[in-house]
Amino acid sequence: MIKNLFTPMKIGALEIPNRFVVPPMVTNYCNSDGTTTERYISYYEARAKGGWGLIITEACAVDPRGRGFSFMAGLWNDSQIDSHRALTKNVHKYKTKIFLQIFHAGRQTSKKVMDMDPVAPSPIPCPVKMEMPHELTVEEIHDIVEKFGDSALRAKTAGYDGVEIHGSHGFLIAEFMSSFSNKRTDQYGGCLSNRLRFPLEIIENVRSKVGPDFPVGFRISADEFVTGGNTIVDTRAMAPILENAGINVLHVSAGCYASTDKFIPPSAVPHGNLTHLAAEMKKVVNIPVISVSRINDPMIAESLLAGGIADFVAMGRASLADPNLPRKTAESKFAEIRMCIGCEQGCLERLRADEPIRCLVNPKLGKEKELTIQPAKEKKKVLVVGGGPGGMTAAIAAAEAGHEVSLFEKSDRLGGQFYLASIPPGKGEFASFIHWQINQMHKLGVEVHLNTTATLHLIESKEPDEVIIATGAKPKVPHISGAHLQNVIFSFDVLSGKEEADQNVVVIGGGSVGAETANYLANQGKNVTLVEVLPKIAIDYEPGPRKYLLEELADKNVTVLVNSRVHSIKYNGVSVESGGIDKIFIPADSVVLAMGAKSDRELASKLKDKSYHVSVIGDAIKIRKALEAIEEGYLTGLLVSSLKSVETL
């Protein structure tokens, strides 16, 4: 079934061994001076070892003033070459080809990152960064053109197999190409040919310095998805001009910072949401085309190649989630592939905070060497209490080290609250990670006991060496009159199917859980009112997923009351103080409580001063996100032979 993905193809004169591509994704793993680190090199080496045919590195600044993040790569001077040469040497051990993406952030950066004002074609702030940029002079434009060419030559010297010019996502080159950001009236602004002058001069300069046979790619936003920005009509006209200028491959993406959800889409967005743009580009160019955007399954990638949509498939966040995806695909081990679930917790949100990226489903991301599991010198009996994602991760890690592992879960299924998170519309892929964990535990021989409460007596009878407490959290019961009436149910029970809400529903609590529960019920045709004491709902949600959740709530006519406090619950409705006005009464058949949770530490408190070592992880320590619980679970699995506890790390 998978054959096109493993067929070699040339970019220029360079043969790429397969069609799997790791696209550029800033990691913030480099030094502040742009040089690479052991962490950065290990990150890419893991993906080369995993079988990716082509790696295109993260955006590499051609100028200190072009940095978009504090710890991103740079090749703006010769002193940086040696650190990059160490990267290419390690990647080439696995026959993977590696391109360097050369980049200038333009206005999509901040003075905080560079200690100087951003630059742009016109003095118009980025709608997201909102910092006034310096308008480039013609002389400064010419200087930047030279810097792109110089960086490309350094990349060739450092052993890269090619370069990709970053002309997308609203950065400097894209800013010149688009009327959304370019309001110049000189030779670099106005008509399409003038707006293309800057990228064409860069291509010419790069080509003159690296020679005719060195592959040069170009990444383009085929549709910027902003008012006044480029659309597919514009880029269809641009692409042949760029090809004629000497590029060897076209990498088709979309969007800019004002439309980030289009090129880094959350789980609510369909797979391959931008692939139609790649198909349009293939109609007008003769060079290979790379397609990208929420492609996390090799079967979907194969279908794009088989259908002639693209020539290569970039699977960015999929490569973060599982660096071995190509190798597992080649071995038909599809159930062992750890899929990206589009949560954005560890990648995009960490990057927005200018911090090194992480991955919810892959706790080893960025720590590929230091978090390698080694066989245990002494086999121990490990007992895990709680079958949520943190507990299962701990069980898997301990079993991989060779320990004898048992897991006890009091309910009839594994997954905990993470399973509940997969129930609302647009989040079904969260269940794929639970499936992967269950498959891994089965493969590693973890003994799983469902419908079993781990009592103190049960634990003592098993005579464990290590006990890992991952009991998670319980829903909070608010101090509201009527909270214990029969028409009152918890969001956890609604999502798990234990309780069914009637037609007219009031959901109390507008955090992410309450908002998603409201959306879940509205999609069943219920009449839903969501009540939140704060000025906004779902503020604990990542911006991308939140945007789509709010749109869905509006589409399903969910009534949202913010700045509202519940006074009392009755058998037939809820009394609410809203916006400082007198109480209003909202009729309801069912009232759903989604007012947070509290750590379940009852068992942990009973296990002090025992002969075995006890670790507490995840929500049993403190209510947080799954990212932390899974990372703590993995660390605990590594530390079962030590005297440390994750709680004390």
Side-chain angles (χ1 to χ4, degrees):
M1 294 175 63
I2 306 291
K3 58 180 182 179
N4 292 287
L5 279 168
F6 293 102
T7 303
M9 188 174 192
K10 288 187 176 181
I11 294 177
L14 178 71
E15 184 169 273
I16 310 300
N18 61 50
R19 313 293 184 89
F20 290 96
V21 177
V22 176
M25 295 170 289
V26 174
T27 60
N28 253 353
Y29 292 163
C30 288
N31 293 311
S32 59
D33 64 358
T35 55
T36 68
T37 61
E38 184 176 346
R39 181 182 193 184
Y40 184 77
I41 293 170
S42 296
Y43 158 73
Y44 281 119
E45 183 179 357
R47 277 131 197 93
K49 188 176 181 180
W52 297 85
L54 174 63
I55 292 172
I56 307 174
T57 70
E58 70 172 56
C60 183
V62 302
D63 185 343
R65 201 172 188 176
R67 291 179 296 140
F69 302 91
S70 296
F71 299 97
M72 69 184 306
L75 258 182
W76 57 75
N77 62 51
D78 291 348
S79 66
Q80 297 163 317
I81 293 175
D82 284 346
S83 75
H84 284 266
R85 187 179 285 117
L87 168 61
T88 59
K89 180 181 178 181
N90 279 30
V91 167
H92 285 149
K93 290 189 298 186
Y94 305 98
K95 300 182 180 179
T96 296
K97 305 302 181 183
I98 183 167
F99 286 12
L100 180 85
Q101 188 186 67
I102 47 179
F103 156 93
H104 194 298
R107 69 179 187 175
Q108 289 186 167
T109 185
S110 68
K111 190 172 183 178
K112 180 181 177 182
V113 169
M114 305 179 300
D115 200 27
M116 58 187 90
D117 292 327
V119 301
S122 302
I124 302 170
C126 164
V128 175
K129 290 297 185 179
M130 300 182 70
E131 293 187 27
M132 181 61 71
H134 162 70
E135 182 178 27
L136 289 166
T137 66
V138 171
E139 183 180 359
E140 288 171 329
I141 291 171
H142 292 164
D143 181 57
I144 291 174
V145 168
E146 291 293 334
K147 288 178 177 178
F148 269 94
D150 292 343
S151 291
L153 179 57
R154 292 187 189 104
K156 184 177 181 180
T157 304
Y160 287 98
D161 299 295
V163 294
E164 177 179 89
I165 299 168
H166 198 342
S168 64
H169 301 164
F171 296 112
L172 186 62
I173 294 175
E175 289 164 19
F176 272 92
M177 295 168 67
S178 173
S179 296
F180 176 64
S181 43
N182 185 349
K183 313 295 181 179
R184 300 178 74 98
T185 57
D186 62 6
Q187 67 267 39
Y188 288 97
C191 63
L192 186 146
S193 59
N194 276 1
R195 299 199 313 274
L196 279 176
R197 189 180 304 276
F198 182 55
L200 291 177
E201 287 179 352
I202 288 173
I203 294 170
E204 181 182 16
N205 194 281
V206 167
R207 183 57 74 195
S208 71
K209 290 174 179 175
V210 300
D213 299 325
F214 192 67
V216 177
F218 194 94
R219 197 172 204 193
I220 193 168
S221 282
D223 193 324
E224 292 188 293
F225 294 107
V226 289
T227 302
N230 288 331
T231 69
I232 188 63
V233 175
D234 302 293
T235 51
R236 269 201 308 251
M238 294 177 180
I241 299 172
L242 297 170
E243 178 184 12
N244 189 58
I247 66 168
N248 302 114
V249 60
L250 190 65
H251 193 169
V252 183
S253 188
C256 59
Y257 269 18
S259 54
T260 305
D261 61 289
K262 300 300 182 184
F263 67 92
I264 311 179
S267 61
V269 175
H271 294 122
N273 63 306
L274 301 180
T275 56
H276 65 287
L277 300 175
E280 288 297 313
M281 291 295 99
K282 271 192 67 67
K283 295 177 183 178
V284 296
V285 298
N286 298 305
I287 53 178
V289 168
I290 304 173
S291 186
V292 69
S293 193
R294 228 175 96 66
I295 304 166
N296 63 353
D297 190 303
M299 292 188 180
I300 294 175
E302 174 70 16
S303 73
L304 297 175
L305 300 178
I309 302 298
D311 302 293
F312 292 88
V313 182
M315 303 174 72
R317 286 176 293 169
S319 73
L320 302 182
D322 196 333
N324 297 306
L325 186 151
R327 178 178 57 77
K328 292 176 181 178
T329 301
E331 297 170 358
S332 297
K333 295 180 179 178
F334 299 107
E336 294 189 18
I337 296 173
R338 188 169 40 201
M339 300 288 188
C340 167
I341 60 174
C343 68
E344 300 187 352
Q345 282 188 28
C347 51
L348 181 57
E349 289 316 297
R350 295 273 298 178
L351 202 57
R352 278 196 173 111
D354 200 23
E355 296 175 348
I357 66 169
R358 291 154 64 185
C359 179
L360 183 150
V361 302
N362 179 14
K364 286 184 64 174
L365 179 67
K367 300 176 182 178
E368 281 79 6
K369 283 196 173 179
E370 57 263 50
L371 292 188
T372 300
I373 294 177
Q374 301 295 335
K377 294 180 180 179
E378 178 187 354
K379 186 175 181 179
K380 292 188 174 183
K381 291 181 68 175
V382 180
L383 193 152
V384 181
V385 182
M392 286 195 283
T393 300
I396 291 167
E400 283 184 342
H403 297 295
E404 179 185 331
V405 184
S406 299
L407 183 145
F408 293 84
E409 167 57 42
K410 65 182 179 181
S411 71
D412 61 353
R413 70 169 70 240
L414 296 167
Q417 291 185 50
F418 202 75
Y419 167 73
L420 301 183
S422 73
I423 302 300
K427 296 187 69 179
E429 281 185 308
F430 279 45
S432 69
F433 180 55
I434 300 170
H435 174 267
W436 179 86
Q437 290 187 303
I438 293 171
N439 182 69
Q440 289 299 108
M441 289 196 298
H442 176 74
K443 176 184 173 184
L444 293 165
V446 175
E447 192 177 278
V448 176
H449 303 268
L450 298 177
N451 298 304
T452 305
T453 299
T455 63
L456 184 60
H457 174 72
L458 185 148
I459 293 172
E460 298 285 2
S461 70
K462 296 295 181 181
E463 299 182 344
D465 299 303
E466 304 273 346
V467 176
I468 300 170
I469 303 298
T471 45
K474 298 177 180 179
K476 284 183 179 178
V477 180
H479 297 293
I480 298 174
S481 174
H484 296 282
L485 292 174
Q486 285 190 337
N487 62 326
V488 178
I489 53 181
F490 288 106
S491 59
F492 288 10
D493 292 331
V494 171
L495 294 174
S496 66
K498 292 179 181 178
E499 297 281 358
E500 184 175 359
D502 292 322
Q503 184 60 29
N504 299 302
V505 187
V506 171
V507 177
I508 303 175
S512 58
V513 174
E516 288 187 334
T517 303
N519 187 32
Y520 169 72
L521 292 169
N523 271 271
Q524 296 178 6
K526 312 288 187 185
N527 301 317
V528 183
T529 299
L530 179 62
V531 181
E532 168 57 39
V533 69
L534 297 176
K536 295 181 180 180
I537 65 169
I539 60 173
D540 55 336
Y541 220 173
E542 292 71 34
R546 182 176 186 267
K547 174 181 182 292
Y548 287 93
L549 176 58
L550 296 182
E551 290 176 356
E552 183 89 355
L553 291 171
D555 183 63
K556 298 300 180 183
N557 298 313
V558 173
T559 300
V560 178
L561 299 179
V562 295
N563 296 310
S564 300
R565 187 179 300 276
V566 174
H567 180 264
S568 62
I569 301 171
K570 307 294 184 182
Y571 71 92
N572 61 343
V574 177
S575 179
V576 176
E577 296 174 2
S578 183
I581 63 175
D582 292 336
K583 297 185 186 72
I584 59 174
F585 186 78
I586 308 170
D589 306 311
S590 298
V591 177
V592 178
L593 299 179
M595 302 185 70
K598 60 181 180 180
S599 297
D600 183 356
R601 303 196 66 166
E602 183 179 351
L603 179 61
S605 65
K606 297 177 180 178
L607 295 178
K608 293 181 180 179
D609 303 320
K610 297 295 180 180
S611 60
Y612 40 81
H613 183 244
V614 179
S615 295
V616 184
I617 65 171
D619 283 355
I621 298 177
K622 181 181 177 182
I623 307 301
R624 290 156 297 159
K625 295 185 176 181
L627 177 71
E628 286 81 15
I630 291 165
E631 186 172 84
E632 287 172 0
Y634 190 81
L635 288 172
T636 303
L638 289 176
L639 295 173
V640 291
S641 300
S642 77
L643 296 177
K644 294 181 180 180
S645 163
V646 165
E647 190 172 12
T648 62
L649 290 179

